Amino acid sequence: MNRRPRTGSGSLLMTVAVLGVLVALNVLASRGAQAWDLTRSGINMLAPQSVLAARSLESNLLVIGLFRSGAGSDQAQAEALVSLYEAESPRIQYRSENFDVDLADVRKYSVTEPNTLVLDYRGKTQLLTPALQTEQDFTAALVKLKGDHSPVVCWAAGAGGRSRTDTGQRGYSAVASLIARNNFQTRDLLIADVAAIPSGCDELVLIAPTVPLSASSIKAVGEYLASGGSLLIAGDPWAETAAAAGSLNDVLKPYGFAFSGALVVETDSSRAFDVITPAVFVYGSSPITRDIQGVASFFPQTTAIKGAPDPAAKAVVIGATTGGSYAISTPREDLTRQAVDEAGPFVMMETLEVPAGAKKARIVMVGTTGFAENRVLPPLSNDANLELALASFQWLAREDALISIPPKPARALPLTLTQQDQSNIIFVTIFLMPGLIVFAGVMVWWRRRLIR
């Protein structure tokens, strides 16, 4: 009988001691800034490459979030990502602004889409649109900003076709501005009779010339690709000048490809803006399409890409039409299907990597010059064509190899607590719960004392 009170007292003292230790640990933990991510994919921490990129900044990096309030802004998600980088480097400085109010920053950085992150480092900038706000994108932007090389885009000029300075709906001024904001240099290259593509061209852009390319021009492009160059080439259906369309295909002929020249009609209304503007939601697996799966891009008045590559080459279909599509080979006003029309599906955009000595030539083929014209880019449109165009230029510049971070599942957002919320949590965890346990222990001790 004499052991019971000692046993009860010992249990009570042990409970109080354990609670005291837990309270002390809680207090110590609250004063520190250490964190551990125990999730399987490490979704709440940065990959080693990202940590290194943040810690190696030699100057201050200004990050500006230009958000538009309302549903779908993903502001909390973007700021949660930025906060992970801020925790790794005191040089990263973030501020949030209203896209519709902060016109000074919108104009200064030529931001055309709300909910964009602006990264400003030593006078160089990177714009991360909503579709380009993953850890991979942010770290790639840091690496580019710290790099000394700005890829040079040589734009074929002097043979007709779309102009990078044309501000009309059919012009390419928006995409030219887009790549300039992402640290690309652009210069015109007179292509009609060029004897050699300059070695300083990181990539060549050839957009459906209306004047036939000379044999020397075609040879120059071939030699450029044979040395490991990069080419963005776009065609159109129903070419006004057959010779010009034929010379464009002569560039692709050594690689087993050609533009068919027929107008593609898409009958599936769920996969088209209208019958001659097919849409793509599901893309081939490529660095170009990493961030736009499930987001629509449009291919106005497109033709099909035909052919098959050499077994040593690697081809990836980026976008294609449905099996209900068909192609009209010769111009006509009546677009209803006729027996002579070729049945789909058709490839509208495809990439190709071809061994070229120690390097690989890279080619992006698009069946329409409309995929990157002003009318399908912000502010006139909010589809995925902007990301598709930018990623194509980046892939051609081999910027996909800057980092290799495996994709992660959606990251849990930090819980924002008010001062009252924090006080309630402290009261419950430090006073109420331990107090209830102590009270229960006292009651057990008192009951045992009574029955003794």
Side-chain angles (χ1 to χ4, degrees):
M1 297 293 289
N2 293 332
R3 293 181 180 177
R4 287 186 177 176
R6 283 197 290 268
T7 303
S9 300
S11 299
L12 179 59
L13 290 174
M14 182 63 71
T15 301
V16 172
V18 171
L19 289 174
V21 171
L22 291 176
V23 170
L25 290 175
N26 255 327
V27 172
L28 290 175
S30 67
R31 296 178 179 178
Q34 297 299 318
W36 290 269
D37 185 357
L38 301 180
T39 60
R40 177 177 299 179
S41 303
I43 59 176
N44 295 309
M45 63 184 297
L46 297 177
Q49 301 97 314
S50 301
V51 173
L52 179 62
R55 292 180 178 178
S56 61
L57 291 171
E58 297 176 351
S59 300
N60 288 339
L61 170 71
L62 175 61
V63 182
I64 307 171
L66 293 167
F67 295 99
R68 174 175 286 163
S69 59
S73 70
D74 289 331
Q75 179 175 355
Q77 183 79 21
E79 292 181 341
L81 176 64
V82 175
S83 68
L84 295 179
Y85 287 87
E86 284 183 297
E88 298 297 338
S89 173
R91 293 189 179 277
I92 298 177
Q93 303 169 356
Y94 174 74
R95 61 180 169 90
S96 175
E97 302 291 349
N98 188 307
F99 175 81
D100 299 308
V101 175
D102 184 16
L103 300 182
D105 282 324
V106 169
R107 291 168 180 165
K108 177 180 178 180
Y109 298 106
S110 302
V111 179
T112 59
E113 187 173 358
N115 310 320
T116 294
L117 289 176
V118 178
L119 279 65
D120 187 334
Y121 183 73
R122 292 179 170 177
K124 297 192 297 182
T125 61
Q126 287 279 291
L127 302 184
L128 302 183
T129 59
L132 301 175
Q133 292 177 6
T134 67
E135 180 184 343
Q136 293 169 304
D137 299 312
F138 200 101
T139 300
L142 291 185
V143 175
K144 287 182 63 178
L145 289 171
K146 293 189 298 179
D148 295 327
H149 177 66
S150 296
V152 177
V153 177
C154 291
W155 201 283
R162 304 297 179 91
S163 168
R164 65 185 179 93
T165 60
D166 184 354
T167 58
Q169 288 196 359
R170 304 294 298 277
Y172 268 48
S173 61
V175 76
S177 176
L178 172 69
I179 60 177
R181 296 195 304 271
N182 282 273
N183 294 327
F184 284 80
Q185 297 183 46
T186 308
R187 69 188 191 201
D188 286 337
L189 175 67
L190 296 177
I191 194 67
D193 295 303
V194 69
I197 306 300
S199 59
C201 295
D202 291 290
E203 52 192 271
L204 174 66
V205 178
L206 192 54
I207 306 294
T210 56
V211 176
L213 301 175
S214 66
S216 63
S217 298
I218 297 170
K219 180 182 178 182
V221 175
E223 292 175 346
Y224 169 72
L225 292 174
S227 64
S230 296
L231 172 68
L232 171 62
I233 185 170
D236 272 326
W238 296 354
E240 295 183 5
T241 308
S247 67
L248 196 66
N249 280 338
D250 286 340
V251 173
L252 295 176
K253 186 175 181 180
Y255 307 101
F257 286 92
F259 297 113
S260 74
L263 175 67
V264 172
V265 177
E266 177 60 79
T267 61
D268 186 344
S269 59
S270 68
R271 293 282 300 276
F273 179 79
D274 54 45
V275 294
I276 57 172
T277 308
V280 175
F281 294 88
V282 180
Y283 304 85
S285 179
S286 165
I288 293 175
T289 61
R290 187 190 69 213
D291 295 309
I292 58 173
Q293 292 291 348
V295 184
S297 60
F298 297 99
F299 293 79
Q301 299 180 33
T302 186
T303 190
I305 300 169
K306 299 285 191 176
D310 185 276
K314 178 183 178 182
V316 176
V317 174
I318 300 298
T321 61
T322 68
S325 61
Y326 58 93
I328 304 173
S329 59
T330 56
R332 67 176 191 240
E333 292 186 5
D334 182 6
L335 299 182
T336 56
R337 190 164 191 171
Q338 299 181 6
V340 296
D341 296 333
E342 182 182 359
F346 303 104
V347 175
M348 299 182 291
M349 183 172 182
E350 190 165 1
T351 64
L352 184 66
E353 281 188 299
V354 184
K359 297 177 64 177
K360 288 185 178 180
R362 288 188 170 185
I363 304 175
V364 173
M365 298 170 283
V366 190
T368 170
T369 59
F371 88 106
E373 62 189 8
N374 293 340
R375 63 172 174 161
V376 299
L377 298 182
L380 300 179
S381 177
N382 290 320
D383 47 56
N385 286 66
L386 179 144
E387 287 79 17
L388 190 65
L390 176 59
S392 295
F393 282 100
Q394 291 173 328
W395 183 77
L396 290 172
R398 304 167 201 274
E399 293 187 341
D400 58 314
L402 285 175
I403 57 171
S404 179
I405 302 174
K408 297 178 181 179
R411 182 160 33 82
L413 294 178
L415 180 62
T416 303
L417 300 175
T418 65
Q419 186 64 45
Q420 183 62 45
D421 294 331
Q422 296 178 43
S423 299
N424 292 339
I425 291 175
I426 292 173
F427 172 75
V428 170
T429 57
I430 296 181
F431 298 105
L432 181 60
M433 291 182 64
L436 290 174
I437 295 173
V438 171
F439 177 76
V442 170
M443 293 303 295
V444 170
W445 170 77
W446 182 257
R447 182 174 177 274
R448 288 182 177 180
R449 182 179 180 185
L450 290 177
I451 64 176
R452 184 181 60 175

Coordinates of all heavy atoms in Angstrom, one line a residue, residues 254-337:
P254 N 18.0 17.9 -97.4 CA 19.0 17.0 -96.9 C 18.7 16.2 -95.7 O 19.3 15.2 -95.4 CB 20.2 17.9 -96.7 CG 20.0 19.1 -97.5 CD 18.5 19.3 -97.5
Y255 N 17.7 16.7 -94.9 CA 17.3 16.1 -93.7 C 16.0 15.3 -93.8 O 15.5 14.8 -92.8 CB 17.1 17.2 -92.6 CG 18.3 18.1 -92.5 CD1 18.4 19.3 -93.1 CD2 19.5 17.6 -91.9 CE1 19.5 20.1 -93.1 CE2 20.7 18.4 -91.9 CZ 20.6 19.6 -92.5 OH 21.8 20.4 -92.4
G256 N 15.5 15.2 -95.0 CA 14.3 14.3 -95.3 C 13.0 14.9 -95.0 O 12.0 14.2 -94.8
F257 N 12.9 16.3 -94.9 CA 11.7 17.0 -94.6 C 11.3 18.0 -95.6 O 12.2 18.4 -96.4 CB 11.8 17.7 -93.2 CG 11.7 16.7 -92.0 CD1 12.9 16.2 -91.5 CD2 10.5 16.3 -91.5 CE1 12.9 15.3 -90.4 CE2 10.5 15.5 -90.4 CZ 11.7 15.0 -89.9
A258 N 10.0 18.4 -95.6 CA 9.5 19.4 -96.5 C 8.2 19.9 -96.0 O 7.5 19.2 -95.3 CB 9.4 18.9 -97.9
F259 N 7.9 21.2 -96.4 CA 6.5 21.7 -96.1 C 5.6 21.3 -97.3 O 6.0 21.5 -98.4 CB 6.5 23.2 -96.0 CG 7.4 23.7 -94.8 CD1 8.5 24.4 -95.0 CD2 6.9 23.5 -93.5 CE1 9.3 24.9 -94.0 CE2 7.7 24.0 -92.4 CZ 8.9 24.7 -92.7
S260 N 4.5 20.7 -97.0 CA 3.6 20.2 -98.0 C 3.0 21.3 -98.9 O 2.8 21.1 -100.1 CB 2.5 19.4 -97.4 OG 1.5 20.2 -96.8
G261 N 2.8 22.5 -98.3 CA 2.2 23.6 -99.1 C 0.7 23.6 -99.1 O 0.1 24.6 -99.5
A262 N 0.1 22.5 -98.6 CA -1.4 22.4 -98.6 C -1.9 23.1 -97.3 O -1.3 23.1 -96.3 CB -1.8 21.0 -98.6
L263 N -3.1 23.6 -97.4 CA -3.8 24.3 -96.2 C -4.5 23.2 -95.4 O -5.3 22.5 -95.8 CB -4.8 25.3 -96.7 CG -5.6 26.0 -95.6 CD1 -4.8 26.9 -94.7 CD2 -6.8 26.8 -96.2
V264 N -4.1 23.2 -94.1 CA -4.7 22.2 -93.2 C -6.0 22.8 -92.6 O -6.1 23.9 -92.1 CB -3.7 21.9 -92.0 CG1 -4.4 21.0 -91.0 CG2 -2.5 21.2 -92.6
V265 N -7.1 22.0 -92.6 CA -8.4 22.3 -92.1 C -8.7 21.4 -90.9 O -8.6 20.1 -91.1 CB -9.5 22.2 -93.1 CG1 -10.9 22.5 -92.5 CG2 -9.2 23.1 -94.3
E266 N -9.0 21.9 -89.7 CA -9.2 21.1 -88.5 C -10.7 21.1 -88.3 O -11.4 22.1 -88.1 CB -8.5 21.7 -87.3 CG -8.8 21.0 -86.0 CD -8.4 19.5 -86.0 OE1 -7.2 19.2 -85.9 OE2 -9.3 18.7 -86.2
T267 N -11.3 19.9 -88.3 CA -12.8 19.8 -88.1 C -13.2 19.6 -86.7 O -14.4 19.8 -86.4 CB -13.3 18.5 -88.9 OG1 -12.7 17.4 -88.4 CG2 -13.0 18.7 -90.4
D268 N -12.3 19.3 -85.8 CA -12.6 19.2 -84.4 C -12.6 20.5 -83.7 O -11.6 21.1 -83.5 CB -11.6 18.2 -83.7 CG -12.0 17.9 -82.2 OD1 -12.8 18.6 -81.7 OD2 -11.4 17.0 -81.7
S269 N -13.8 21.0 -83.4 CA -14.0 22.4 -82.9 C -13.3 22.6 -81.5 O -13.0 23.7 -81.1 CB -15.4 22.8 -82.8 OG -16.2 21.9 -82.0
S270 N -13.1 21.4 -80.8 CA -12.5 21.5 -79.5 C -11.0 21.6 -79.6 O -10.3 21.9 -78.6 CB -12.8 20.3 -78.7 OG -12.2 19.1 -79.2
R271 N -10.5 21.5 -80.8 CA -9.0 21.6 -81.1 C -8.7 22.6 -82.1 O -7.7 22.5 -82.8 CB -8.5 20.2 -81.6 CG -8.6 19.1 -80.5 CD -7.5 19.2 -79.5 NE -6.2 19.1 -80.2 CZ -5.6 18.0 -80.5 NH1 -6.1 16.8 -80.2 NH2 -4.4 18.0 -81.1
A272 N -9.5 23.7 -82.1 CA -9.3 24.7 -83.1 C -10.0 26.0 -82.7 O -11.1 26.0 -82.1 CB -9.8 24.3 -84.5
F273 N -9.4 27.2 -83.0 CA -10.1 28.4 -82.9 C -11.1 28.6 -83.9 O -12.2 29.1 -83.7 CB -9.1 29.6 -82.9 CG -9.6 30.9 -82.8 CD1 -10.0 31.4 -81.5 CD2 -9.9 31.7 -83.9 CE1 -10.6 32.7 -81.4 CE2 -10.4 33.0 -83.8 CZ -10.8 33.5 -82.5
D274 N -10.7 28.3 -85.2 CA -11.7 28.1 -86.3 C -11.1 27.0 -87.2 O -10.0 26.5 -86.9 CB -11.9 29.4 -87.0 CG -10.6 30.1 -87.5 OD1 -9.7 29.4 -88.0 OD2 -10.4 31.3 -87.3
V275 N -11.7 26.7 -88.3 CA -11.3 25.5 -89.1 C -9.9 25.7 -89.7 O -9.2 24.7 -89.9 CB -12.3 25.3 -90.2 CG1 -13.6 24.8 -89.7 CG2 -12.5 26.5 -91.1
I276 N -9.4 26.9 -89.8 CA -8.1 27.1 -90.4 C -7.1 27.6 -89.3 O -6.0 28.0 -89.7 CB -8.1 28.0 -91.6 CG1 -8.6 29.4 -91.3 CG2 -8.8 27.4 -92.8 CD1 -8.5 30.4 -92.4
T277 N -7.5 27.5 -88.1 CA -6.6 27.8 -87.0 C -6.6 26.7 -85.9 O -7.2 26.8 -84.9 CB -7.0 29.1 -86.3 OG1 -7.2 30.2 -87.3 CG2 -6.0 29.6 -85.3
P278 N -5.9 25.6 -86.2 CA -5.8 24.5 -85.3 C -5.2 24.9 -84.0 O -4.3 25.8 -84.0 CB -5.0 23.4 -86.1 CG -5.0 23.8 -87.5 CD -5.2 25.3 -87.5
A279 N -5.6 24.2 -82.9 CA -5.0 24.4 -81.6 C -4.3 23.2 -81.1 O -4.7 22.0 -81.5 CB -6.1 24.9 -80.6
V280 N -3.3 23.3 -80.3 CA -2.6 22.2 -79.7 C -2.7 22.3 -78.2 O -2.4 23.4 -77.6 CB -1.2 22.1 -80.1 CG1 -0.4 21.0 -79.4 CG2 -1.1 21.9 -81.6
F281 N -3.1 21.2 -77.5 CA -3.1 21.2 -76.0 C -2.1 20.2 -75.5 O -1.6 20.3 -74.4 CB -4.5 20.8 -75.5 CG -5.5 21.9 -75.8 CD1 -6.3 21.8 -77.0 CD2 -5.8 22.8 -74.8 CE1 -7.2 22.8 -77.2 CE2 -6.8 23.8 -75.1 CZ -7.5 23.8 -76.3
V282 N -1.9 19.1 -76.3 CA -1.0 18.0 -75.9 C 0.2 18.1 -76.8 O 0.1 18.0 -78.0 CB -1.7 16.7 -75.9 CG1 -0.7 15.6 -75.5 CG2 -2.9 16.6 -75.1
Y283 N 1.4 18.2 -76.2 CA 2.6 18.4 -77.0 C 3.6 17.2 -76.8 O 3.5 16.5 -75.9 CB 3.4 19.7 -76.5 CG 2.5 20.9 -76.5 CD1 1.7 21.3 -75.5 CD2 2.6 21.8 -77.6 CE1 0.9 22.4 -75.5 CE2 1.8 23.0 -77.6 CZ 1.0 23.3 -76.6 OH 0.2 24.4 -76.6
G284 N 4.5 17.1 -77.8 CA 5.5 16.1 -77.6 C 6.5 16.5 -76.5 O 6.6 17.6 -76.1
S285 N 7.2 15.5 -76.0 CA 8.1 15.7 -74.9 C 9.4 16.4 -75.3 O 10.2 15.8 -76.1 CB 8.4 14.3 -74.2 OG 9.3 14.5 -73.2
S286 N 9.6 17.6 -74.9 CA 10.7 18.4 -75.3 C 10.9 19.5 -74.2 O 10.0 19.9 -73.6 CB 10.5 19.0 -76.7 OG 11.4 20.1 -76.9
P287 N 12.2 20.0 -74.1 CA 12.4 21.2 -73.2 C 11.5 22.4 -73.7 O 11.1 23.2 -72.9 CB 13.9 21.5 -73.4 CG 14.5 20.2 -73.8 CD 13.5 19.5 -74.6
I288 N 11.2 22.4 -74.9 CA 10.3 23.5 -75.5 C 8.9 23.5 -74.9 O 8.3 24.5 -74.6 CB 10.3 23.4 -77.0 CG1 11.6 23.7 -77.6 CG2 9.2 24.4 -77.6 CD1 11.7 23.6 -79.1
T289 N 8.4 22.3 -74.6 CA 7.0 22.1 -74.2 C 6.9 21.8 -72.7 O 5.8 21.5 -72.2 CB 6.4 21.0 -75.0 OG1 7.0 19.8 -74.7 CG2 6.4 21.3 -76.5
R290 N 8.0 21.9 -71.9 CA 7.9 21.5 -70.6 C 6.9 22.2 -69.7 O 6.2 21.6 -68.9 CB 9.3 21.7 -69.9 CG 9.5 21.2 -68.5 CD 10.8 21.7 -67.9 NE 10.7 23.1 -67.6 CZ 11.7 23.9 -67.7 NH1 12.9 23.5 -68.0 NH2 11.5 25.2 -67.4
D291 N 6.7 23.5 -70.0 CA 5.8 24.3 -69.1 C 4.4 24.6 -69.7 O 3.7 25.3 -69.1 CB 6.5 25.6 -68.8 CG 7.7 25.4 -67.9 OD1 7.6 24.7 -66.9 OD2 8.8 25.9 -68.3
I292 N 4.1 24.0 -70.9 CA 2.8 24.4 -71.5 C 1.9 23.2 -71.8 O 0.9 23.4 -72.5 CB 3.1 25.2 -72.8 CG1 3.9 24.3 -73.8 CG2 3.8 26.5 -72.6 CD1 4.0 24.9 -75.2
Q293 N 2.2 22.1 -71.2 CA 1.3 20.9 -71.4 C -0.1 21.3 -70.9 O -0.2 21.7 -69.8 CB 1.8 19.7 -70.7 CG 3.1 19.1 -71.3 CD 2.9 18.5 -72.7 OE1 1.8 18.3 -73.1 NE2 4.0 18.2 -73.3
G294 N -1.1 21.1 -71.8 CA -2.4 21.4 -71.4 C -2.9 22.8 -71.6 O -4.1 23.1 -71.4
V295 N -2.0 23.6 -72.1 CA -2.3 25.0 -72.4 C -2.3 25.2 -73.9 O -1.4 24.7 -74.6 CB -1.3 26.0 -71.8 CG1 -1.7 27.4 -72.0 CG2 -1.1 25.7 -70.3
A296 N -3.3 25.8 -74.4 CA -3.5 25.9 -75.9 C -2.6 26.9 -76.6 O -2.3 27.9 -76.0 CB -5.0 26.3 -76.2
S297 N -2.1 26.4 -77.7 CA -1.3 27.3 -78.6 C -2.0 27.2 -80.0 O -2.6 26.1 -80.3 CB 0.1 27.0 -78.7 OG 0.3 25.6 -79.1
F298 N -1.9 28.2 -80.8 CA -2.6 28.2 -82.1 C -1.7 28.3 -83.3 O -0.6 29.0 -83.2 CB -3.6 29.4 -82.1 CG -4.7 29.3 -81.0 CD1 -4.6 30.0 -79.8 CD2 -5.8 28.5 -81.2 CE1 -5.5 29.9 -78.8 CE2 -6.7 28.4 -80.2 CZ -6.6 29.1 -79.0
F299 N -2.1 27.7 -84.4 CA -1.3 27.7 -85.6 C -2.2 28.1 -86.8 O -2.7 27.3 -87.5 CB -0.8 26.2 -85.8 CG 0.2 25.8 -84.8 CD1 -0.2 25.3 -83.6 CD2 1.6 25.8 -85.1 CE1 0.7 24.9 -82.6 CE2 2.5 25.4 -84.1 CZ 2.0 24.9 -82.9
P300 N -2.3 29.5 -86.9 CA -3.2 30.0 -88.0 C -2.7 29.7 -89.4 O -1.5 29.8 -89.7 CB -3.1 31.5 -87.7 CG -2.5 31.7 -86.3 CD -1.6 30.5 -86.1
Q301 N -3.6 29.2 -90.2 CA -3.3 28.9 -91.6 C -2.0 28.2 -91.8 O -1.0 28.7 -92.3 CB -3.3 30.2 -92.4 CG -4.6 31.0 -92.3 CD -4.6 32.3 -93.1 OE1 -3.9 32.4 -94.1 NE2 -5.3 33.3 -92.6
T302 N -2.0 26.9 -91.3 CA -0.8 26.1 -91.3 C -0.8 25.1 -92.4 O -1.8 24.7 -93.0 CB -0.7 25.4 -90.0 OG1 0.6 24.7 -89.9 CG2 -1.8 24.4 -89.8
T303 N 0.4 24.7 -92.8 CA 0.6 23.6 -93.7 C 1.3 22.5 -92.9 O 1.6 22.7 -91.8 CB 1.5 24.0 -94.9 OG1 1.5 23.0 -95.9 CG2 2.9 24.3 -94.5
A304 N 1.4 21.3 -93.6 CA 1.9 20.2 -92.9 C 3.4 20.0 -93.1 O 3.9 20.4 -94.1 CB 1.2 18.9 -93.3
I305 N 4.1 19.4 -92.1 CA 5.5 19.1 -92.2 C 5.5 17.6 -92.6 O 5.1 16.7 -91.8 CB 6.2 19.4 -90.9 CG1 6.1 20.8 -90.6 CG2 7.7 18.9 -91.1 CD1 6.6 21.2 -89.2
K306 N 6.1 17.3 -93.7 CA 6.2 15.9 -94.2 C 7.6 15.4 -94.1 O 8.6 16.1 -94.1 CB 5.8 15.9 -95.7 CG 4.3 16.3 -95.9 CD 3.3 15.3 -95.4 CE 1.9 15.6 -95.9 NZ 1.0 14.5 -95.6
G307 N 7.7 14.0 -94.1 CA 9.0 13.4 -94.1 C 9.4 12.7 -92.9 O 8.7 12.7 -91.9
A308 N 10.5 12.0 -93.0 CA 11.1 11.2 -91.8 C 12.6 11.5 -91.8 O 13.2 11.5 -92.9 CB 10.8 9.8 -92.0
P309 N 13.2 11.6 -90.6 CA 14.6 11.9 -90.5 C 15.5 10.7 -90.7 O 15.0 9.5 -90.7 CB 14.8 12.4 -89.1 CG 13.7 11.6 -88.3 CD 12.6 11.5 -89.3
D310 N 16.8 10.9 -90.9 CA 17.8 9.9 -90.9 C 17.7 9.2 -89.5 O 17.5 9.8 -88.5 CB 19.1 10.5 -91.2 CG 20.2 9.4 -91.3 OD1 20.8 9.0 -90.2 OD2 20.6 9.0 -92.4
P311 N 18.0 7.8 -89.5 CA 18.0 7.1 -88.2 C 18.9 7.7 -87.1 O 18.7 7.6 -85.9 CB 18.4 5.7 -88.6 CG 18.0 5.6 -90.0 CD 18.2 6.9 -90.6
A312 N 20.0 8.4 -87.6 CA 20.9 9.0 -86.6 C 20.4 10.3 -86.0 O 20.9 10.7 -85.0 CB 22.3 9.2 -87.3
A313 N 19.4 10.8 -86.6 CA 18.8 12.1 -86.1 C 17.7 11.8 -85.1 O 17.1 10.7 -85.1 CB 18.3 12.9 -87.3
K314 N 17.4 12.9 -84.4 CA 16.3 12.8 -83.4 C 15.2 13.8 -83.7 O 15.5 15.0 -83.7 CB 16.8 13.0 -82.0 CG 15.7 13.0 -80.9 CD 16.3 13.3 -79.5 CE 15.2 13.3 -78.5 NZ 15.7 13.7 -77.1
A315 N 14.0 13.3 -84.0 CA 12.9 14.2 -84.3 C 11.9 14.1 -83.2 O 11.6 13.0 -82.8 CB 12.3 13.8 -85.7
V316 N 11.3 15.2 -82.9 CA 10.2 15.3 -81.9 C 9.1 16.1 -82.4 O 9.3 17.3 -82.8 CB 10.7 15.9 -80.5 CG1 9.5 16.0 -79.6 CG2 11.8 15.1 -79.9
V317 N 7.9 15.5 -82.5 CA 6.7 16.2 -83.0 C 6.2 17.1 -81.8 O 5.8 16.5 -80.8 CB 5.6 15.2 -83.4 CG1 4.3 16.0 -83.7 CG2 6.1 14.4 -84.7
I318 N 6.2 18.4 -82.0 CA 5.8 19.3 -81.0 C 4.3 19.4 -81.0 O 3.6 19.4 -79.9 CB 6.4 20.7 -81.2 CG1 8.0 20.5 -81.1 CG2 5.9 21.6 -80.1 CD1 8.5 20.0 -79.8
G319 N 3.7 19.6 -82.1 CA 2.2 19.7 -82.2 C 1.7 19.1 -83.5 O 2.3 19.2 -84.6
A320 N 0.5 18.5 -83.4 CA -0.1 17.9 -84.6 C -1.7 18.1 -84.5 O -2.2 18.4 -83.5 CB 0.2 16.4 -84.7
T321 N -2.3 17.9 -85.7 CA -3.8 18.0 -85.7 C -4.4 16.7 -85.4 O -3.7 15.7 -85.2 CB -4.2 18.4 -87.1 OG1 -3.8 17.4 -88.1 CG2 -3.6 19.8 -87.5
T322 N -5.7 16.6 -85.4 CA -6.4 15.4 -85.1 C -6.6 14.6 -86.4 O -6.4 15.1 -87.5 CB -7.8 15.7 -84.5 OG1 -8.7 16.3 -85.5 CG2 -7.7 16.6 -83.3
G323 N -7.1 13.4 -86.2 CA -7.4 12.5 -87.3 C -8.5 13.0 -88.2 O -8.7 12.6 -89.4
G324 N -9.3 14.0 -87.7 CA -10.4 14.5 -88.5 C -10.0 15.6 -89.4 O -10.9 16.2 -90.1
S325 N -8.8 16.0 -89.3 CA -8.3 17.1 -90.2 C -8.1 16.7 -91.6 O -7.9 15.5 -91.9 CB -7.1 17.8 -89.6 OG -6.0 16.8 -89.6
Y326 N -8.0 17.6 -92.5 CA -7.7 17.3 -93.9 C -6.9 18.5 -94.5 O -6.9 19.6 -93.9 CB -8.9 16.9 -94.7 CG -10.0 18.0 -94.8 CD1 -10.0 19.0 -95.8 CD2 -11.0 18.1 -93.8 CE1 -11.0 20.0 -95.8 CE2 -11.9 19.1 -93.8 CZ -12.0 20.0 -94.8 OH -12.9 21.0 -94.9
A327 N -6.3 18.2 -95.7 CA -5.4 19.3 -96.3 C -5.9 19.5 -97.7 O -6.2 18.6 -98.5 CB -4.0 18.8 -96.3
I328 N -6.0 20.8 -98.0 CA -6.4 21.3 -99.4 C -5.2 21.7 -100.1 O -4.5 22.7 -99.7 CB -7.4 22.4 -99.3 CG1 -8.6 22.0 -98.4 CG2 -7.9 22.9 -100.7 CD1 -9.6 23.1 -98.2
S329 N -4.8 21.0 -101.2 CA -3.5 21.3 -101.8 C -3.5 22.5 -102.7 O -2.5 23.2 -102.8 CB -3.2 20.1 -102.7 OG -4.2 19.9 -103.7
T330 N -4.6 22.9 -103.3 CA -4.6 24.1 -104.2 C -5.7 25.1 -103.7 O -6.7 24.7 -103.1 CB -5.0 23.7 -105.6 OG1 -6.2 23.0 -105.7 CG2 -3.9 22.8 -106.2
P331 N -5.4 26.4 -103.9 CA -6.3 27.4 -103.3 C -7.8 27.3 -103.9 O -8.0 27.0 -105.0 CB -5.7 28.7 -103.8 CG -4.3 28.4 -104.0 CD -4.2 27.0 -104.5
R332 N -8.7 27.4 -102.9 CA -10.1 27.5 -103.3 C -10.9 28.2 -102.2 O -10.5 28.2 -101.0 CB -10.7 26.1 -103.6 CG -10.8 25.2 -102.4 CD -11.4 23.8 -102.7 NE -11.7 23.0 -101.6 CZ -11.3 21.8 -101.3 NH1 -10.4 21.3 -102.2 NH2 -11.6 21.2 -100.2
E333 N -12.1 28.7 -102.5 CA -12.9 29.4 -101.5 C -13.7 28.5 -100.7 O -13.9 28.7 -99.5 CB -13.8 30.4 -102.2 CG -13.0 31.6 -102.9 CD -13.9 32.7 -103.4 OE1 -15.2 32.5 -103.2 OE2 -13.4 33.6 -104.0
D334 N -14.2 27.4 -101.3 CA -15.0 26.4 -100.6 C -14.0 25.5 -99.8 O -13.3 24.7 -100.4 CB -15.8 25.7 -101.5 CG -16.8 24.7 -100.8 OD1 -16.8 24.7 -99.6 OD2 -17.4 23.9 -101.5
L335 N -14.1 25.6 -98.5 CA -13.2 24.8 -97.6 C -13.8 23.5 -97.2 O -13.2 22.7 -96.4 CB -12.7 25.6 -96.4 CG -11.9 26.9 -96.7 CD1 -11.5 27.5 -95.4 CD2 -10.7 26.6 -97.6
T336 N -15.0 23.2 -97.6 CA -15.6 21.9 -97.2 C -14.8 20.8 -97.8 O -14.2 20.9 -98.9 CB -17.1 21.8 -97.7 OG1 -17.1 22.0 -99.1 CG2 -17.9 22.9 -97.0
R337 N -14.9 19.6 -97.2 CA -14.0 18.5 -97.6 C -14.5 17.9 -98.9 O -15.7 17.7 -99.2 CB -14.1 17.4 -96.5 CG -13.0 16.3 -96.7 CD -12.9 15.5 -95.4 NE -11.7 14.6 -95.5 CZ -11.2 14.0 -94.5 NH1 -11.8 14.0 -93.3 NH2 -10.2 13.2 -94.6

